[in-house]
Amino acid sequence: MTPRPGPQRIVCLTEETTEWLYLLGQESRIVGISGYTVRPRRARDEKPRVSAFLSAKIDKILALEPDCVFGFSDLQVDIASALIKAGVQVTVFNQRSIDEIHTMLFQVAAMVGCADEGLAWIEASRRRLDAIRADVAALQAQGRRRPRVFFEEWDEPAISAIRWVSELVGVAGGDDIFPELSRQSLGRDRIIADGAEIVRRAPDIIVGSWCGKKFRPEKVAARAGWQDVPAVRHQQLFEIKSADILQPGPAALTDGVDQLHRIVRQWMLSHG
């Protein structure tokens, strides 16, 4: 059988392109993955791990003889530069919003000869998000109000939600309490230096997704001055695993937004 056009030996430096190629049934093209990959779970057993996020085993990647490497963001510029200098084709995406995630997914699908399948998935994703928006609108029509949501990517220092997460909070029915920070692509630019500002904005729900470590709601609740924060007072502190929401790919648009919506919907039903 003649293989579909496009690169046949791909290294994925982040999880979202790995998950996407598996969803497209093109996992046979993948010859190397990120060590942080957990979706799909079987990828860790089937593919060699050749990178972290900010570093990579360049020699090991070159030994795999890739004809394309997929990377993500300016944070991987050094890895990309080293591979390009070695003569490898590198495609680095920089998606930060829901629309940009969909665009990236279509580009990858087209590159591996699966444009039609990719577009069908994207259209289904858009319908899924519209259905969630419609459910939220129906609840609001019943007089239910949208909760104020603080999404915390990291705790020390506190870092608020990146753009696609902030947008998904909105789709799910909540209002990000730091929308002005969500447009900042780098975590260091979303640091909330004064925790009192979080208290002042009085989130009804706190969602933690501490990349690389378990969210500790009891630790958050014990922060000085936080006892009167509505989310703390009413025990509305939840975790969404970083693999489900902080990867700008299929996971965030499926399991991530579904978890957000369940949390927000339950709050809306319990609060007028």
Side-chain angles (χ1 to χ4, degrees):
M1 182 178 176
T2 303
R4 295 197 186 200
Q8 303 296 317
R9 298 183 61 79
I10 300 171
V11 169
C12 299
L13 298 178
T14 50
E15 182 180 65
E16 65 276 359
T17 45
T18 295
E19 181 178 19
W20 183 228
L21 289 170
Y22 268 85
L23 285 171
L24 291 171
Q26 297 298 307
E27 65 271 20
S28 63
R29 298 176 186 256
I30 302 173
V31 295
I33 62 172
S34 163
Y36 289 121
T37 301
V38 297
R39 294 174 65 106
R41 179 67 62 179
R42 65 188 180 97
R44 295 180 66 83
D45 299 325
E46 297 174 351
K47 309 295 181 180
R49 286 165 256 171
V50 297
S51 69
F53 183 58
L54 299 179
S55 63
K57 300 171 182 174
I58 301 298
D59 290 346
K60 191 170 183 180
I61 292 174
L62 296 177
L64 293 170
E65 300 183 341
D67 51 10
C68 187
V69 173
F70 289 145
F72 168 68
S73 92
D74 46 307
L75 294 175
Q76 293 192 325
V77 65
D78 291 340
I79 302 172
S81 177
L83 291 170
I84 292 167
K85 288 176 181 176
V88 178
Q89 175 184 316
V90 179
T91 300
V92 177
F93 300 99
N94 215 1
Q95 68 276 15
R96 303 290 178 167
S97 68
I98 294 172
D99 285 344
E100 289 173 359
I101 291 172
H102 282 146
T103 296
M104 177 277 292
L105 295 176
F106 181 74
Q107 288 177 309
V108 171
M111 288 177 73
V112 295
C114 295
D116 290 344
E117 295 93 327
L119 187 58
W121 192 98
I122 291 163
E123 289 174 344
S125 169
R126 288 177 174 145
R127 290 193 297 271
R128 180 195 199 103
L129 297 179
D130 284 343
I132 294 173
R133 290 187 186 100
D135 182 64
V136 171
L139 289 171
Q140 288 184 272
Q142 297 169 17
R144 308 288 181 176
R145 77 171 177 89
R146 298 172 67 97
R148 297 178 300 274
V149 179
F150 175 49
F151 187 99
E152 188 172 88
E153 273 189 28
W154 193 249
D155 60 331
E156 295 176 344
I159 297 178
S160 65
I162 198 166
R163 183 177 173 185
W164 72 81
V165 175
S166 179
E167 290 179 352
L168 290 173
V169 167
V171 170
D175 293 322
D176 177 12
I177 64 169
F178 287 100
E180 74 278 11
L181 295 182
S182 67
R183 295 285 178 145
Q184 302 297 323
S185 62
L186 299 179
R188 65 173 182 239
D189 296 324
R190 298 194 307 279
I191 291 174
I192 303 160
D194 185 2
E197 181 59 21
I198 303 171
V199 174
R200 190 188 71 76
R201 299 194 187 195
D204 299 299
I205 295 171
I206 295 173
V207 178
S209 189
W210 297 347
C211 193
K213 66 179 181 179
K214 183 174 175 58
F215 177 62
R216 299 276 302 280
E218 73 284 359
K219 187 177 177 183
V220 174
R223 290 173 182 170
W226 284 50
Q227 65 275 5
D228 292 326
V229 171
V232 173
R233 196 166 64 244
H234 299 296
Q235 298 181 314
Q236 294 295 295
L237 295 92
F238 305 93
E239 179 181 30
I240 296 180
K241 298 291 187 185
S242 57
D244 291 343
I245 193 70
L246 294 183
Q247 303 284 354
L253 302 180
T254 54
D255 292 350
V257 70
D258 284 352
Q259 290 175 64
L260 282 171
H261 185 46
R262 281 196 296 271
I263 292 166
V264 171
R265 192 177 201 281
Q266 185 57 48
W267 188 94
M268 293 179 78
L269 289 172
S270 302
H271 297 76

